[in-house]
Amino acid sequence: MTNEPFFPFLRSILPFLGKGALMTVELTIISVGIGVIIGIFGGMARVSRNPILLVPSTIYVEVIRGTPLLAQLFLVYFGLPSLGINLPPFTAAVIAMGINSGAYVTEIFRGGIQSIEKGQMEAARPLGLSYLQAMRYIILPQAFKRILPPLGNEFIAMLKDSSLASTIAIAELMRVGREITSRTFRSFEVLTVVALLYLAITLPLSLLVRYAERRMSVSD
Amino acid sequence: MIRLEKIYKRFGKLEVLRGVDLNIEKGEVVVIIGPSGAGKSTLLRCINLLERPTSGRVIFEGIDITRMDGRNIDKVRERIGMVFQHINLFNHLNVMDNVILAPMKVKGLSRNTAEQIARSLLERMGLGDKLYAYPSQLSGGQRQRVAIARALAMQPDIMLFDEPTSALDPEMIKEVLDVMKALVNDGMTMVIVTHEMGFAKEVASRIIFMDDGYIVEEGTPKEIFSNPKEERTAMFLSKILY
């Protein structure tokens, strides 16, 4: 197997790498999904004047952004068991990555909300809309349109960072690649293919974001 | 209908309103004039608590709304329409959705009912052919008429206008003033901050002249424009009237 020509070799490893890539995508979608849910509320908390919302959300963002994702991942997977909380690898990974992503998405939403002219909120309130209704129907839809590009970037960044989950025994793309390498010793070829597979996912994604941007700008 | 009592408003060290009393009766058209920085817009924004007075009371139909909690203030705001200098249509919604949003989400009307109300309002504003246009596709005058329709769709008891024509190109001012005049003829209670003196003279039941955070003088258009009692009023008018 080690001196097999490249293309037959590629054909033999591709199904495994494909499965790994699928896991990578799954991990990323769920994590960023959690991140977006956290981010919507986090973003609103970050623009709030109420310290009960503002202070915890600010601490959350600073702590998460200021510490490595790998440390967060290990804390959830290896650290929590000593408190009696044992999580399966996949659950631990999406919790750590979701919370991590949430901090970045919070800042994305904060920026998006603040970029909407003050007049939009001012026009909404005299109509009898509550602050939350105005957020939901007026501010967030417009903010969402503007944050689509950074949100796309966050997704791409998280997709690449999900390779860290290989360290806690999740059979995602990077992990599968390293397993094949250790079996075949064809590091250069395998890791190049792994890198290209990441690219094959992120590239269409950037195009999709660009397309969505254009679609959503009808009202501009 | 609405009574303002001893309204003070400070922004930091800046005192914008210094004890304003104002009473607005049903059916009145009150026009507020005065130099910029006089506190006209701030006063208007205190009426629906878009600006919280630093002290003083706003009494709406006998109830002090400055002491109300958020939800009840929203209830009062439903009945006070407001139109802004900068128009502030909801940019992501077309004309129809701009107008029906609040009737549906606040009053709980069905889409059908809300659309019926909106359509007849927009047609009256001469916008029957723009129902599904987006704000960016409209002229300033058209946008402001949509904004008026949006406020009227809540069937308010009173309408506040904050320099509704100040941001418009000159050739679009008349179409907005015409719509407002039609409202006056319908008997709508209105409070208008404006620099359009001809319009003020024509529609106002009462003119308020403000300067430096005070109401300096008030009276009928005739009293204010032809025979001002205060020197400051006379000076302001001499500067702006040709």
Side-chain angles (χ1 to χ4, degrees):
Chain A
M1 189 169 188
T2 36
N3 31 23
E4 204 179 349
F6 178 66
F7 282 105
F9 173 64
L10 179 64
R11 203 171 310 140
S12 72
I13 63 171
L14 220 42
F16 299 102
L17 291 175
K19 243 184 226 165
L22 223 56
M23 176 59 89
T24 289
V25 170
E26 200 179 319
L27 205 54
T28 309
I29 289 178
I30 296 175
S31 301
V32 176
I34 294 171
V36 167
I37 293 166
I38 295 176
I40 291 174
F41 295 101
M44 288 199 288
R46 289 274 287 138
V47 299
S48 167
R49 265 174 289 173
N50 184 345
I52 295 170
L53 297 171
L54 178 61
V55 172
S57 58
T58 307
I59 292 173
Y60 162 64
V61 168
E62 293 306 333
V63 168
I64 296 297
R65 285 199 312 186
T67 54
L69 174 56
L70 190 60
Q72 295 160 11
L73 202 59
F74 280 11
L75 197 64
V76 172
Y77 186 62
F78 298 116
L80 287 186
S82 61
L83 301 178
I85 305 170
N86 284 289
L87 297 170
F90 188 82
T91 311
V94 295
I95 287 176
M97 289 167 58
I99 290 175
N100 180 276
S101 182
Y104 289 92
V105 179
T106 289
E107 284 305 274
I108 292 173
F109 267 96
R110 180 191 56 76
I113 292 168
Q114 286 176 335
S115 79
I116 305 300
E117 310 77 72
K118 240 178 75 212
Q120 296 287 306
M121 179 61 89
E122 275 194 349
R125 300 308 304 279
L127 290 168
L129 291 160
S130 69
Y131 179 80
L132 285 178
Q133 281 180 318
M135 269 290 169
R136 174 166 166 204
Y137 298 115
I138 308 300
I139 308 298
L140 287 176
Q142 295 186 65
F144 192 73
K145 200 165 83 179
R146 283 191 201 169
I147 66 176
L148 215 59
L151 219 46
N153 289 340
E154 166 61 17
F155 193 89
I156 289 168
M158 195 38 85
L159 191 109
K160 294 180 293 175
D161 286 349
S162 70
S163 58
L164 292 173
S166 64
T167 57
I168 61 169
I170 290 176
E172 46 68 74
L173 183 52
M174 191 66 212
R175 175 84 174 199
V176 174
R178 279 175 49 208
E179 276 166 3
I180 294 171
T181 310
S182 63
R183 256 190 297 128
T184 62
F185 303 107
R186 296 174 69 158
S187 308
F188 183 76
E189 290 151 288
V190 174
L191 292 175
T192 304
V193 173
V194 166
L196 287 175
L197 281 174
Y198 275 107
L199 193 65
I201 307 170
T202 54
L203 217 53
L205 217 61
S206 336
L207 294 177
L208 196 72
V209 169
R210 226 170 293 168
Y211 171 75
E213 251 178 274
R214 240 178 309 143
R215 281 282 318 253
M216 293 186 85
S217 66
V218 211
S219 62
D220 286 342
Chain B
M1 181 174 195
I2 292 179
R3 202 166 69 241
L4 305 183
E5 291 180 352
K6 297 202 175 52
I7 300 290
Y8 285 82
K9 178 67 186 178
R10 254 175 240 109
F11 294 105
K13 279 186 178 165
L14 193 68
E15 196 160 47
V16 181
L17 297 175
R18 311 170 190 234
V20 174
D21 294 293
L22 179 63
N23 197 18
I24 298 150
E25 299 294 341
K26 195 168 162 40
E28 260 196 307
V29 178
V30 176
V31 176
I32 306 174
I33 62 170
S36 41
K40 310 182 294 289
S41 291
T42 307
L43 180 66
L44 198 68
R45 294 158 61 89
C46 282
I47 294 177
N48 62 358
L49 300 188
L50 209 51
E51 221 62 85
R52 286 276 185 165
T54 311
S55 68
R57 306 203 299 165
V58 180
I59 293 159
F60 183 79
E61 294 187 335
I63 301 161
D64 181 0
I65 62 172
T66 49
R67 288 153 177 258
M68 280 184 173
D69 62 18
R71 189 161 304 188
N72 285 318
I73 289 174
D74 289 339
K75 278 277 165 216
V76 172
R77 283 185 174 139
E78 283 177 44
R79 302 174 54 193
I80 307 177
M82 187 163 199
V83 173
F84 300 86
Q85 175 180 2
H86 295 295
I87 306 174
N88 300 332
L89 288 186
F90 304 134
N91 297 316
H92 62 307
L93 300 177
N94 66 29
V95 167
M96 180 57 92
D97 289 338
N98 259 279
V99 178
I100 65 175
L101 179 83
M104 285 174 64
K105 302 301 177 195
V106 177
K107 281 192 164 174
L109 297 188
S110 71
R111 174 171 285 272
N112 252 332
T113 317
E115 281 191 354
Q116 263 172 28
I117 296 169
R119 186 165 290 134
S120 84
L121 274 170
L122 288 164
E123 272 162 11
R124 255 178 55 201
M125 307 270 153
L127 294 162
D129 56 338
K130 300 285 181 195
L131 297 184
Y132 300 102
Y134 279 93
S136 58
Q137 299 163 325
L138 301 177
S139 73
Q142 290 169 333
R143 281 210 293 273
Q144 193 59 294
R145 283 181 284 151
V146 175
I148 294 172
R150 178 177 66 180
L152 289 174
M154 289 300 284
Q155 296 167 316
D157 299 323
I158 177 170
M159 287 282 287
L160 311 177
F161 291 85
D162 188 5
E163 301 197 29
T165 58
S166 296
L168 298 180
D169 290 338
E171 76 269 25
M172 292 169 185
I173 292 176
K174 190 173 173 299
E175 65 191 55
V176 172
L177 294 183
D178 282 344
V179 165
M180 291 170 64
K181 220 178 283 179
L183 275 181
V184 173
N185 291 335
D186 289 350
M188 175 64 81
T189 310
M190 294 160 77
V191 184
I192 306 167
V193 173
T194 186
H195 294 293
E196 297 293 333
M197 293 303 150
F199 176 74
K201 218 184 272 189
E202 194 181 332
V203 304
S205 45
R206 185 152 50 112
I207 304 257
I208 309 268
F209 173 68
M210 279 186 77
D211 193 10
D212 214 17
Y214 299 101
I215 290 180
V216 176
E217 184 172 359
E218 58 183 293
T220 64
K222 209 170 172 190
E223 286 165 351
I224 298 288
F225 285 110
S226 329
N227 198 9
K229 286 191 206 69
E230 299 289 329
E231 197 179 333
R232 267 196 287 178
T233 316
M235 221 159 78
F236 173 72
L237 291 171
S238 73
K239 276 184 198 155
I240 58 159
L241 295 178
Y242 293 103

